[in-house]
Each structure stands twice: as structure tokens, then as C-alpha cells.
Amino acid sequence: MTDPKAIQPSALDQLPDRDPEETAEWQASLDAVAKAAGPHRAAYLMRRTLERAEGTGIALPKLLETDYVNTIPTAAEPSAPGDEAMEARITAWNRWNAAAMVTRGSKYGVGGHIATFASAAWLYETGFNHFFKGKEADGSGDQLYIQGHASPGIYARAFLDGRLDEQQLDNFRQEAGGNGLPSYPHPRRLPWLWEFPTVSMGLGPLSAIYQARFNRYLTNRGIKDVSASHVWAFLGDGEMDEPESTAALALASREGLDNLTFVINCNLQRLDGPVRANFKIVQELEAQFRGAGWNVVKTLWGTAWDELFQLDTTGALVRRLREVPDAQVQTYQTRDAAYIRQDFFGKDPELAEMAKLLSDDKILECFHLSRGGHEARKVYAAYKAAVEFKGAPTVILAQTVKGHTLGEGFASKNANHQMKKLTVDEFKTMRDLLELPISDAQFVDGVVPYGHPGADSPEVRYLQERRAALGGPAPARRVHPVAPLPAPAEKAFASFDKGSGSQNVATTMAFVRLIKDLVRDKESGKRWVPIVPDEARTFGMESLFPSLGIYSPKGQTYEPVDRDQLMYYKEAQNGQILNEGITEAGSMADFIAASTAYSTHGETMIPFYIFYSMFGWQRTADQMWQLGDQLGRGFLVGATAGRTTLTGEGLQHADGHSPVIAATNPAALTYDPAFAYEVAAIVKDGLRRMYGEAAPGEDQNVFYYLTVYNEPLPQPAKPAVDGVDEGIVKGLYRFNTAESAGLSPVANAPRIQLLGSGTAIHWTLRAQKLLAEEWGVAADVWSATSWTELRRDALEADAALLRGEERMPFVRQALQGAEGPVLAVSDYMRQVPDQIAQWVEQDYSSLGADGFGLSDTREAARRHFGVDAESIVVAALAQLAKRGEVKATAVKEAREKYGL
């Protein structure tokens, strides 16, 4: 009998035992079973009892792991509709063409992956024939996140379907000529086929969860009923090591996203070797997903194993499968029957007796070939269980063999991820295994041929009929024809033109005020999707809570603590705000789903995501690339921007570099506005370009990155001169001159052009005053709203020149004729304003906040980085002294005067 002292205390110890005698009887029964039939039998009974309790609704903690067997027993498998033999022939053609495409391309050194699709072929084919709804189906069809390394198989199926031709297959990974195929799913490169970019790894599963959640958001808000759409994410077991892969599992279960299915291809291998060499990745993932509240379906073994499980009357086989580590399973895949008899069966006397009943061929069939992910009926049963399960998302853990059907040189070999081609002899062996009608004569000069049964063959007709029944081709990306959104009322933007008078207003507050006006617009107001990672109060957005509501599928099941306040915390099923908690990655995934709704669902949505600028491009820049890859549109807003504006927070919050990172992304239009009216003008133009009537040649598939500041300062009126709006959008305009600023410099005074961006323009304006009043220098001040857009325009002008077209960069046009040198000032690293240096004809220099941030007052931080007004004065005098326009001694005098 178990020693009671060895029993660890638990939460049950806190509950009164109403019948100690009955409890003792149950414990005694368990002890008796363990003594008479062994601990394995006792464990079996306990697991079955817990499963029974769960099935009858008794509230008990769930088992985190089940045995290493299929969740759906063979006897419970539904009969799959369709023609399995026909589907096997289609799969064989796809396997062949995927391998042929990569092999043919290998002679150009472009690479490619063969083994992943070889393991996953049935996972895709079963879905394409029976589950994946096309774009003509109800709602918007299904959304498919294809595993990146399996793309050759998807291209092969599109070839069989007539959507691609041989020339395109031969241009795999060769896109420069304009008719190539990208290596991985990429909407920007193949926008009619791919909906979602899934490499970098880890971003696909994260995005899939938030896409399924956004589908519910659209339905609950009454924008569009997409409740019939299902999100399928195909992932690798190695990919699940990425933290993003599992970052949002709890969200998916918490919100009951039963419109979501993960299919994890558990071929037990990652890029260099086993995923869990000394452990079991399937069991680990099962526990992780069950613990997060997901429905888990394991599809591990094929029908060849049925005989072995029937012989296992004592549970010895199940126990052995549970204890063998993954790397040893891989070894069995490559060894002969004698080795498997000794190492697998020989470890247990009961298994050794079982092995005597099995032929070598049977053992090899089970251990080399028979996996649940390689059999249509097993995969169909798992998919059917997933789509019928209600109340939680489902993950399917499908065990496969990496490199399946590619021959002994590939199957389960550690190096197969890097193996890019098969030999002619290996192809011929593969052909015989797949029973394909390809003759030796078709291998001309040692080149493997593509295979196709013919456009009117039974295979192609079957494939196309199945897709027609499911709503059209898949995968597919469609941009539905939608009317441009009407521009919001002009007064929403014009109200900022008059300035704030004596009131101090930060540009962050100006942006929030603008959004409050825009979401009230009768035509487009409901299209706005405000996204914030638990910082709404930081950015002054709490006033939006009661008016727009925070989205929650459960509504508000509690009475908020601030219910008696005007700006109380309001959650609603049709809420408009996505307040994600402390997750920049989740917020970006939200943004990506909303920004591409125009394509995914044919519904134009206008997301804006406001965040600490330091934690945007620095922390989630990979997702911002994903956003650009997916052709997303919307407004990213880096608040509390700049190196010196966030007093006291220090190095980890001081952003001096986000525009540098943003400038590397061709789809990001990066602006650093200084004034409220500039913010309004940029948003107005962004709405026109992305959602309204874009000008000829303008790419609508862009997104805007605006930096806004938390420093309350007077907001000036928009200068009443021509070209201001154009300059704001293009990146530069003259805000004032020394004369228009009322500084009245002396005749023939030395002159300098001061360019400032963002909050730095305020120090620049003070420097303008000091230069005039204390040094007799006339300075004109320019607002540089976008250094990056100025640079891009200049690069385009350079490219035009190479084509023989004369075009002057806008920055040169704007500064043409401006007297004196140019000094550019930014609250970011100097390389931000230095982007335009080579196109400025005047002498050019810059000031910026290079180095790490620090905690102090704004004034002290600006003096530390040498960007305050006094430092600007000294730098300006130094530039003029070089030109002989002021005395060299003036620079020293200024340094001493200002204590620099």
C-alpha cells in the first residue's frame, strides 16, 4: 500500500472531506489494482476514469498528455467521401513535379526544399479535396497559411490544375525576369496565389490566430458575416520553437476560436536534426496546447499499426511507444527489421513475444512507412473532427516522415532539409514507387521531365470538380472591387490649421483628437480599427472607451469599477477598439489582419496602431516586413517618440532610431511631423492614397508610419503660403524666414537654412531667435516632415537619369536658391537627416541624438546630445565661420556663453 506520507499535498487538502470512509475505499481500490495487476493497469484505469469524468461534464483538471496513439481509433474513423485512389494519383503527380521543379532549378544554384512537402503531401491534398473553401464559398472562403518550405508542392498542384505552366515552374526562385515563382508564399511577388507570407517562421501561427479573431470581430461588429470562414495554419514541429508560434494560444482558447485549426506536421525533424532528440515533440506540444485550452487531435500511426495494437493486450506496446525518444524513432526509419526487433521489441519480454508473430515485411511497413499523416482516411478523420468541434480551436498533430517517397537517401536523414536534388536513378525509383507513367526516354540529357496526365485527364477533372464544389481554386488571393471610401469632411482636418493659440498640445494629443473626429464620420467612421497594447491611457485615448467600446466576444459580464465616471472602461461584443494587453506582437498581428481585409474579405478597414515608438520598429520590425509583404494598408503611430522627449524613462524607452529601421522597408512611408496641422495633412493624404482615389502611378499597397510626441507645446497655425500641403506630404517646406518671424536681421546679415523635424523644430525656432538677437545671423526654418520620402524621391530621380530622363529631386527644388549653408536637426540619430545629404547643393551638416538614451529632464538630455537651441547656434556659427561669414572667434564665444 502507498505510504500516505509520500502523497504530496494538493488543492484537495483545502476542501473538507464529507465522507472520509468512501475516500479511503477508493484509495484502497487503486492500491489493490496496482498490487494485483501492476502500476500500468492502475494508471490505465485512472486515465480512463478522468476521460469519463471530462466527457460527462464533471469539473476536473484535464489530462495534459494522452498515450502516444491516434486520438481517433480506427473503428471510429468516418468513411471519407471521394475517390481515394484518384486522390492518390493526384498526390503522386504533385510529389513528382515538386521534386522535379527543385531539382531542375538546382543547376542554377537557387536552392529549394523537397523533403517538407514530401512529408506533408496528404495533409494538403485531403484539405484541398474536402475541406478548404475557395473564395466563391460562403463568407470569404477559408484562409490558408501554408508552411513556407512546402511551397513547391503547392506550385505543383497549381501546375496540375492549369494555373501554372512549365516555364513558370522552371522559373522557381528566378523572379528577375518577371515570370518567376517566389521561393516561399509571398503576396507581393505572386499576388493572385498567395494570401499570407509565412516565412519568417513563427509569424504564420501568430497571424493565423489573430486572423481568426479578426474574422469574429468583423462578424460581431456587423461589418461582414464571415462566420463560415475557417482559418487553417500549416506548421512544422520545429517551427513551434519560435516564441511567436505559441505566444497567443491562450487568446485563441479564451475567445473560443473554433474557426481555427493548426495542422502541425510532426516529421520530428527541424533544419539540422531531430526536433526533440531525447524527448517527444508530439507529447510536448499536446501538453502545451491542452494546457492552453485547445482541442488536440493526434494522428500518428497508419493502418499497418492496427494489427500491432490488436496484439497489445497488456499495454506493453503503448508503453514502449511512449518512452522511445524521437531521435530513436528516426533511427528505426533507416534500420533493418533485425535492428528494430532487438532495439524496440527486445526491451520488453511481452513485446519480444509479440514480435515473433510479425514478419520482417510487416515490421518494416510499420516503422518505415505507416504514419497517420500519410494516409488520407486518417487525415480526413482528423480534419472532420476539427471542423466539427465547437467551443475551442483545434490542433492536429500529424506524424509523418520527412522525405517520404523520395527514397532511402532522403527519408528521415538529418541533412534532408539541405538536400536540393535527386539523381536520375532516384527519380526512376520514385517513379516506380508512385506508379507514374513516365518512361526512361523522357529523361532527355539527364534532365528530369515534368509530369502531367493531360488537361482533360480523369485526375485533372476530379481535382477541378472538387475545387468547384468547395468554392473555387485554393490557395488564392482576391482583391475584390470595392468603391473608394469617400473622403471625410474637410472640417476634421481644417480645424488644426488655425493652431492651438496659447494652449500647449502634444502631437500625440492632436492625433487622438483627429481620430475622435474621423471615427464619427457617417461614411467611413465604422471602418476605423483602433489598436493599442494596453497603453490607451498613456496616449490619452481613454475618452474613446465609452464611445467606441473595447471589443470582447463576451461583451461586459461585470460591472466596471469606474462605472460612475464619464470615461469608464466599456467592453462590448461589437466594440471597435482592439485593446490587446501588453503584447506588441499581438497588436501587430491585429493590424496585419485589419490592414488586409480589403483583400481577405473585400471590406476596407482603416487600422491605426499606436504604440511606444521604441517598442514598434525595434521589437516587432519583422512583423512590419510581414505587413509590407502582405500588402497591408493603414497607420502605424509611434508615440512618445524621439530620443529626448520621454523624461525619466531612460535608455530602454528613448527612441533615436525607429525611422532608421523604418526607412529600410519600401512599403513604409515614414513621417516625423512637428505640428498638429502636419499630422492632419499626412493622415488626410494617407486616406486618399490608400483608401480613396490614388494618383496615377501611386502604389496603394503602402502603410504610413507617423512619429508623434508627448511634449505639450503651442501648436502654430499653418503658414498661409503656397505649397505647404505639397511640402508636408513630400517631406519639406519652409516654415518661416527670419523676416517673416519678425526678427528683422541687419542688412547683408549672414544667412543659414535650419531644417528641423518633429519636436526638434521647436529648438530650431529658439535657435533662430538666438542667432538673430545675439549673433546677427538670419536663419530660415524648414520643417522636414519626412527625410525618408525626400531620399526616395531623390533615388527615383537618379534612376530616371540613368534612363535618360531629366528630373530634379524635390529636396533640391525646395532648397534651390536658399542662401547659406544647411544645418539639419533631429531628435533621432544623425543618419536620419543625413539621408538627404548628397542631394543638397548647399554646404550640409547635421545634429542628432546619437548614442544610448538616458534618464533626465528634456533640457538636460538635449544638452547631453548637443541638439538643444544653444548647441544649434554653436553648430550654425561653426558652419558660417568655415565660409568666412562670421568671425572664427564667434564659435568659441558662443560655446563659453552657453556653457557648452
Side-chain angles (χ1 to χ4, degrees):
M1 181 176 292
T2 304
D3 181 359
K5 296 179 181 179
I7 299 175
Q8 297 297 314
S10 70
L12 294 176
D13 297 331
Q14 312 302 317
L15 302 176
D17 190 343
R18 294 183 298 178
D19 193 339
E21 185 176 349
E22 181 184 36
T23 303
E25 290 174 356
W26 275 81
Q27 293 171 337
S29 297
L30 181 64
D31 293 341
V33 171
K35 183 177 181 180
H40 298 305
R41 177 61 181 171
Y44 176 86
L45 290 176
M46 287 299 298
R47 287 198 301 273
R48 289 293 176 264
T49 302
L50 287 172
E51 289 171 359
R52 178 70 175 177
E54 182 180 339
T56 55
I58 298 175
L60 281 174
K62 293 183 178 181
L63 286 171
L64 292 186
E65 286 186 36
T66 60
D67 286 327
Y68 201 68
V69 297
N70 295 348
T71 301
I72 304 171
T74 300
E77 290 172 1
S79 57
D83 186 336
E84 187 173 328
M86 180 67 73
E87 293 172 18
R89 291 203 296 276
I90 293 170
T91 305
W93 285 115
N94 292 340
R95 289 181 184 278
W96 177 273
N97 287 322
M101 175 176 61
V102 175
T103 298
R104 286 165 69 120
S106 66
K107 65 181 179 181
Y108 302 109
V110 295
H113 302 290
I114 304 176
T116 294
F117 177 73
S119 67
W122 274 112
L123 300 180
Y124 290 106
E125 194 59 37
T126 303
F128 284 131
N129 286 321
H130 302 290
F131 292 95
F132 304 157
K133 295 186 287 293
K135 298 305 179 186
E136 281 75 44
D138 292 341
S140 303
D142 288 353
Q143 287 85 54
L144 307 181
Y145 288 78
I146 304 295
Q147 188 180 0
H149 293 139
S151 62
I154 307 305
Y155 290 140
R157 196 174 200 276
F159 170 66
L160 203 66
D161 193 13
R163 301 167 76 198
L164 293 173
D165 57 31
E166 286 194 16
Q167 181 184 3
Q168 288 171 298
L169 295 191
D170 268 344
N171 286 338
F172 175 60
R173 292 193 169 195
Q174 299 173 71
E175 300 178 78
N179 194 34
L181 301 179
S183 53
Y184 303 124
H186 207 304
R188 189 168 284 276
R189 291 301 185 203
L190 205 61
W192 60 268
L193 181 72
W194 297 121
E195 260 193 305
F196 307 107
T198 50
V199 180
S200 299
M201 281 194 260
L203 298 189
L206 178 67
S207 292
I209 290 173
Y210 280 89
Q211 181 65 58
R213 195 281 196 93
F214 189 74
N215 291 356
R216 290 281 173 85
Y217 172 89
L218 286 179
T219 300
N220 288 337
R221 284 198 55 214
I223 302 292
K224 182 178 182 180
D225 183 358
V226 294
S227 55
S229 293
H230 200 88
V231 177
W232 300 82
F234 287 83
L235 318 167
D237 47 0
E239 181 178 6
M240 301 312 292
D241 285 344
E242 291 282 6
E244 296 90 349
S245 295
T246 55
L249 298 186
L251 167 73
S253 61
R254 185 169 66 243
E255 299 205 0
L257 298 180
D258 50 26
N259 60 338
L260 170 67
T261 298
F262 276 16
V263 181
I264 302 182
N265 178 17
C266 297
N267 56 36
L268 313 185
Q269 287 184 254
R270 53 189 176 198
L271 307 190
D272 290 332
V275 178
R276 294 290 183 273
N278 296 297
F279 306 94
K280 302 189 79 63
I281 186 59
V282 169
Q283 299 300 88
E284 179 182 319
L285 291 175
E286 178 184 30
Q288 193 169 14
F289 278 86
R290 281 184 178 273
W294 286 53
N295 175 45
V296 179
V297 177
K298 294 197 290 191
T299 302
L300 308 180
W301 308 111
T303 53
W305 282 83
D306 289 349
E307 180 182 343
L308 275 67
F309 288 125
Q310 290 171 1
L311 294 172
D312 183 29
T313 58
T314 64
L317 176 62
V318 173
R319 292 196 300 273
R320 181 68 178 135
L321 289 174
R322 195 165 59 236
E323 70 187 20
V324 176
D326 283 352
Q328 191 64 22
V329 173
Q330 298 295 83
T331 298
Y332 296 148
Q333 177 70 35
T334 62
R335 301 300 292 269
D336 59 20
Y339 177 88
I340 298 171
R341 284 182 186 277
Q342 178 182 352
D343 192 86
F344 181 83
F345 292 97
K347 301 292 186 181
D348 185 297
E350 293 176 342
L351 288 181
E353 289 300 312
M354 179 192 296
K356 295 176 181 178
L357 304 176
L358 304 174
S359 67
D360 285 356
D361 286 345
K362 182 65 177 182
I363 289 175
L364 293 178
E365 180 187 13
C366 288
F367 284 84
H368 284 192
L369 301 173
S370 188
R371 299 291 186 274
H374 295 323
E375 295 191 12
R377 62 180 296 179
K378 304 291 186 184
V379 176
Y380 179 86
Y383 285 8
K384 189 171 188 292
V387 297
E388 292 179 354
F389 190 87
K390 301 303 177 186
T394 294
V395 58
I396 296 169
L397 303 175
Q399 185 164 270
T400 66
V401 174
K402 194 167 186 177
H404 184 58
T405 74
L406 296 181
E408 293 181 0
F410 270 82
S412 290
K413 295 298 175 65
N414 282 341
N416 61 21
H417 188 79
Q418 303 303 323
M419 297 162 69
K420 312 301 182 187
K421 60 183 178 180
L422 279 70
T423 66
V424 169
D425 287 341
E426 287 172 329
F427 266 110
K428 291 179 179 179
T429 300
M430 180 183 177
R431 170 200 62 191
D432 296 340
L433 175 66
L434 298 176
E435 300 179 346
L436 291 172
I438 297 173
S439 67
D440 288 355
Q442 290 177 260
F443 290 81
V444 179
D445 296 328
V447 177
V448 57
Y450 293 119
H452 200 292
D456 197 39
S457 64
E459 291 93 332
V460 173
R461 289 201 306 270
Y462 181 90
L463 179 157
Q464 292 175 342
E465 288 168 1
R466 291 307 308 144
R467 290 311 315 155
L470 287 166
R477 179 179 180 273
R478 298 283 175 84
V479 178
H480 304 264
V482 293
L485 286 182
E490 180 63 27
K491 65 179 181 180
F493 306 102
S495 62
F496 293 90
D497 291 352
K498 61 185 179 182
S500 65
S502 60
Q503 183 183 4
N504 288 338
V505 177
T507 50
T508 299
M509 296 301 100
F511 176 81
V512 171
R513 182 186 138 193
L514 174 62
I515 293 300
K516 287 173 65 177
D517 290 339
L518 293 176
V519 295
R520 296 192 188 105
D521 185 83
K522 292 181 180 179
E523 296 290 337
S524 60
K526 68 177 182 179
R527 301 284 173 178
W528 284 88
V529 183
I531 302 168
V532 61
D534 197 37
E535 292 281 6
R537 298 183 193 277
T538 301
F539 307 133
M541 291 174 59
E542 65 268 30
S543 61
L544 299 178
F545 288 170
S547 58
L548 300 183
I550 300 166
Y551 172 74
S552 170
K554 290 186 175 294
Q556 193 156 37
T557 61
Y558 60 91
E559 188 175 16
V561 67
D562 54 359
R563 61 195 177 279
D564 56 345
Q565 297 178 16
L566 182 62
M567 293 183 286
Y568 68 98
Y569 196 82
K570 177 187 175 183
E571 295 189 81
Q573 192 174 25
N574 64 346
Q576 194 164 348
I577 301 170
L578 292 172
N579 191 322
E580 289 305 348
I582 304 175
T583 167
E584 285 85 4
S587 299
M588 269 306 302
D590 263 338
F591 188 90
I592 292 168
S595 71
T596 53
Y598 73 92
S599 170
T600 310
H601 295 299
E603 293 290 342
T604 300
M605 305 301 288
I606 313 171
F608 80 86
Y609 164 36
I610 188 167
F611 51 89
Y612 265 108
S613 62
M614 184 71 164
F615 303 140
W617 284 94
Q618 173 175 292
R619 179 171 288 180
T620 57
D622 198 13
Q623 287 177 285
M624 287 152 181
W625 276 98
Q626 181 189 16
L627 167 65
D629 292 346
Q630 202 167 314
L631 308 175
R633 306 169 184 173
F635 296 95
L636 297 176
V637 184
T640 58
R643 183 78 85 194
T644 69
T645 62
L646 193 56
T647 57
E649 294 285 359
L651 185 152
Q652 292 180 323
H653 289 68
D655 175 19
H657 52 276
S658 67
V660 178
I661 306 173
T664 65
N665 191 310
L669 276 60
T670 303
Y671 287 90
D672 187 24
F675 305 124
Y677 67 80
E678 293 178 351
V679 172
I682 294 165
V683 171
K684 178 182 177 182
D685 190 69
L687 290 172
R688 174 201 61 79
R689 177 169 178 173
M690 295 185 292
Y691 304 104
E693 298 285 355
E698 276 188 324
D699 184 5
Q700 283 191 286
N701 297 316
V702 296
F703 58 93
Y704 283 62
Y705 176 51
L706 281 73
T707 52
V708 292
Y709 297 84
N710 66 321
E711 189 171 9
L713 292 164
Q715 295 297 324
K718 181 192 289 187
V721 295
D722 293 337
V724 172
D725 286 331
E726 179 190 22
I728 291 172
V729 172
K730 290 190 172 182
L732 183 67
Y733 70 96
R734 183 154 48 194
F735 176 73
N736 70 15
T737 64
E739 291 78 10
S740 66
L743 297 174
S744 303
V746 298
N748 300 317
R751 188 173 290 269
I752 190 169
Q753 308 299 317
L754 302 179
L755 280 56
S757 67
T759 196
I761 204 167
H762 296 284
W763 331 322
T764 307
L765 288 168
R766 184 163 178 265
Q768 178 191 42
K769 190 167 188 261
L770 291 174
L771 282 166
E773 294 178 350
E774 299 183 8
W775 304 98
V777 172
D780 301 336
V781 174
W782 300 69
S783 179
T785 54
S786 180
W787 309 102
T788 302
E789 287 306 295
L790 291 173
R791 176 179 176 81
R792 288 177 178 168
D793 172 79
L795 290 172
E796 290 173 7
D798 286 356
L801 186 62
L802 292 176
R803 298 191 300 267
E805 304 169 15
E806 291 286 344
R807 186 167 76 77
M808 184 182 292
F810 180 80
V811 63
R812 188 169 295 172
Q813 292 178 43
L815 291 171
Q816 196 169 33
E819 298 178 39
V822 169
L823 175 60
V825 187
S826 169
D827 200 22
Y828 292 95
M829 303 167 67
R830 284 178 60 181
Q831 68 192 83
V832 176
D834 284 352
Q835 291 180 87
I836 67 170
Q838 72 186 82
W839 293 280
V840 176
E841 293 182 320
Q842 295 87 343
D843 293 338
Y844 186 90
S845 62
S846 63
L847 295 175
D850 286 75
F852 289 111
L854 75 166
S855 298
D856 213 309
T857 65
R858 292 184 179 118
E859 293 74 18
R862 286 161 189 166
R863 175 56 59 92
H864 170 80
F865 287 111
V867 293
D868 60 349
E870 291 78 7
S871 298
I872 295 172
V873 169
V874 172
L877 292 174
Q879 281 293 90
L880 293 168
K882 284 182 184 179
R883 297 160 59 95
E885 297 179 20
V886 300
K887 294 179 180 179
T889 56
V891 181
K892 181 181 178 182
E893 291 172 13
R895 280 201 302 266
E896 293 174 351
K897 178 174 182 175
Y898 300 134
L900 295 177

